[in-house]
Amino acid sequence: MKKNISLLGATGSIGIQTIDILASNPDKFELVSFAAGMNMDKVREIAMSFQPKVISVIQREDAARLQAEFPSIKFVYGQEGLVEVAAHTGADILVNAVIGSVGLAPTLEAIRSGITIAIANKETLVAAGDIVMAEARKYNVPILPVDSEHSALFQSLNGENPKQISRLILTASGGSFRNLTRAELSTVTVEEALAHPNWSMGNKLTIDSATMMNKGLEVIEAHHLFNVPYEQIDVLLHRESIIHSMVEFEDTSVMAQLGSPDMRVPIQYALTYPERIPMQNPKALRLEEIGQLNFEKMDFVRFKALALAYTAGKEGGTMPAAMNAANEIAVSLFMKGIIPFLEIDHIVERVMEAHQTIQQPTLEAIMEVDLNTRKIVYAMIN
């Protein structure tokens, strides 16, 4: 039977690769709804190819224009449009590939509609992981990881007893500036930050990889996905990005998942789980061609954002949401050339130092912290 797919972030990096998988397997998947940003040419291309039932865009004007072009498809817009796409009746899986905390409300609505979540939106679990996972348990909805690191942990844990986990080991490539000292980061450019050595990702994720905040968000996400204390989650620098993550068990056995740096693999596995299907145009792993794999202990002074993420995760409550919102705005300011690279960490740290944490917050409290933190960061800059 075909699986009906809803997709948030269809024109982003993960979204485009998801579309590629769906197009390569028309007998297995049907795209029933999707949401996109501002790339209307790509929206039109996907609409013509898949003829979904519902499409959401950001601007009302774009929705009206597209509605006239595609009268058989329903067009919606804005945050309400995101929610409608996410909770579309008949969908089996929601692939949440949007960037930022905007993905939180649609994910919760999809869970309450009984739709399996393939999560590529880190910020949803970072900002409100306790609430999201509680709702998933309440409605008996699987949360399947799409990030390569969490997919690796998920695959390494298949058939294992989670009570016997000693530690989770997330691997990190080190990002664009892994060979630079912290002092050398003061003058780096946006173009240099976006030149990731291994992965093809969206701009925000690539900047987060350069600061190592991306890995920090993944640590918090792993804590929620696998219910493992932060003290049992480690990060290891692994430049080749071949071992995507590992699980060490209490008998010292280590299970690892290996593969070439190709995001289509974890995306496809989330869509086909618990089955596997052949990958179209695969980048097969040939260890004899690689020759050797390298590992280094993580430097928390050099990669300050990672240390901040651990602090926020252990603090819990609204602190991760404040940290995440501050980082989102700081990264956007850097990409616009308004602040230098190292100021990203400084802004996040200042926000965290000033934040008054609310423990066991409601969703409304989390969203208020998210909004207020963004205002605070803009006030700092002004």
Side-chain angles (χ1 to χ4, degrees), residues 20 24 29 48 67 136 143 147 174 181 211 284 324 326-327 332 363 369:
D20 180 57
S24 299
F29 306 113
M48 286 188 288
Q67 187 67 77
I143 307 290
D147 278 344
T181 66
T211 64
N324 176 70
N327 181 67
S332 71
L363 180 62
V369 165

Side-chain angles (χ1 to χ4, degrees), residues 143-188:
I143 307 290
L144 302 176
V146 168
D147 278 344
S148 62
E149 294 83 358
H150 301 104
S151 178
L153 295 173
F154 182 69
Q155 294 180 61
S156 297
L157 284 166
N158 277 346
E160 300 289 347
N161 184 349
K163 294 180 180 179
Q164 296 173 346
I165 295 172
S166 175
R167 60 178 177 147
L168 305 180
I169 306 168
L170 294 165
T171 57
S173 69
S176 311
F177 303 132
R178 61 192 182 189
N179 296 320
L180 301 184
T181 66
R182 192 158 183 85
E184 292 172 328
L185 295 174
S186 59
T187 58
V188 298

Side-chain angles (χ1 to χ4, degrees), residues 72-377:
S72 63
I73 300 173
K74 180 181 179 182
F75 284 87
V76 291
Y77 63 93
Q79 183 67 22
E80 291 182 1
L82 272 179
V83 170
E84 183 167 343
V85 165
H88 179 70
T89 302
D92 300 306
I93 300 176
L94 168 67
V95 180
N96 184 345
V98 294
I99 298 296
S101 56
V102 69
L104 175 55
T107 298
L108 289 171
E109 286 302 314
I111 289 172
R112 292 162 185 161
S113 299
I115 299 169
T116 295
I117 308 298
I119 189 78
N121 171 247
K122 296 178 179 66
E123 294 84 357
T124 287
L125 290 178
V126 169
D130 290 333
I131 293 174
V132 171
M133 297 310 292
E135 289 292 281
R137 289 190 293 271
K138 177 181 177 180
Y139 290 92
N140 195 29
V141 168
I143 307 290
L144 302 176
V146 168
D147 278 344
S148 62
E149 294 83 358
H150 301 104
S151 178
L153 295 173
F154 182 69
Q155 294 180 61
S156 297
L157 284 166
N158 277 346
E160 300 289 347
N161 184 349
K163 294 180 180 179
Q164 296 173 346
I165 295 172
S166 175
R167 60 178 177 147
L168 305 180
I169 306 168
L170 294 165
T171 57
S173 69
S176 311
F177 303 132
R178 61 192 182 189
N179 296 320
L180 301 184
T181 66
R182 192 158 183 85
E184 292 172 328
L185 295 174
S186 59
T187 58
V188 298
T189 66
V190 174
E191 291 73 22
E192 289 169 337
L194 291 174
H196 196 285
N198 297 348
W199 295 95
S200 174
M201 305 183 291
N203 289 351
K204 199 266 183 181
L205 285 175
T206 306
I207 301 298
D208 279 348
S209 179
T211 64
M212 202 60 77
M213 179 57 81
N214 188 49
K215 203 56 52 179
L217 300 180
E218 288 174 3
V219 167
I220 298 173
E221 192 177 3
H223 164 75
H224 290 295
L225 283 171
F226 304 107
N227 194 29
V228 171
Y230 288 100
E231 292 74 17
Q232 292 174 247
I233 305 175
D234 289 342
V235 177
L236 189 64
L237 195 62
H238 170 49
R239 294 169 180 263
E240 293 84 4
S241 297
I242 297 300
I243 294 179
H244 299 305
S245 280
M246 298 173 272
V247 180
E248 180 183 81
F249 295 94
E250 57 188 12
D251 65 352
T252 72
S253 295
V254 177
M255 302 291 286
Q257 188 265 333
L258 287 71
S260 298
D262 184 349
M263 276 305 301
R264 294 178 306 151
V265 176
I267 296 169
Q268 181 170 288
Y269 186 64
L271 294 177
T272 62
Y273 178 79
E275 305 297 328
R276 295 181 188 270
I277 63 173
M279 175 66 64
Q280 298 294 322
N281 303 313
K283 301 176 183 177
L285 177 63
R286 297 288 182 262
L287 288 175
E288 68 275 14
E289 296 175 2
I290 296 168
Q292 66 179 32
L293 302 176
N294 297 279
F295 305 94
E296 300 171 44
K297 186 177 181 179
M298 186 54 62
D299 184 344
F300 285 86
V301 176
R302 163 64 179 79
F303 295 109
K304 189 174 184 178
L306 180 58
L308 292 172
Y310 266 99
T311 299
K314 291 176 181 178
E315 172 76 13
T318 54
M319 183 62 83
M323 178 203 70
N324 176 70
N327 181 67
E328 282 190 33
I329 300 303
V331 168
S332 71
L333 293 170
F334 168 69
M335 287 196 290
K336 293 174 183 175
I338 297 173
I339 62 171
F341 182 77
L342 286 178
E343 189 64 18
I344 297 173
D345 291 352
H346 296 158
I347 286 172
V348 174
E349 184 175 34
R350 287 164 63 191
V351 165
M352 289 176 60
E353 288 174 348
H355 181 65
Q356 299 295 312
T357 303
I358 303 169
Q359 294 294 344
Q360 298 180 328
T362 63
L363 180 62
E364 290 72 23
I366 291 171
M367 299 308 294
E368 184 175 357
V369 165
D370 179 273
L371 179 61
N372 288 340
T373 300
R374 294 166 192 272
K375 293 178 181 177
I376 289 169
V377 175

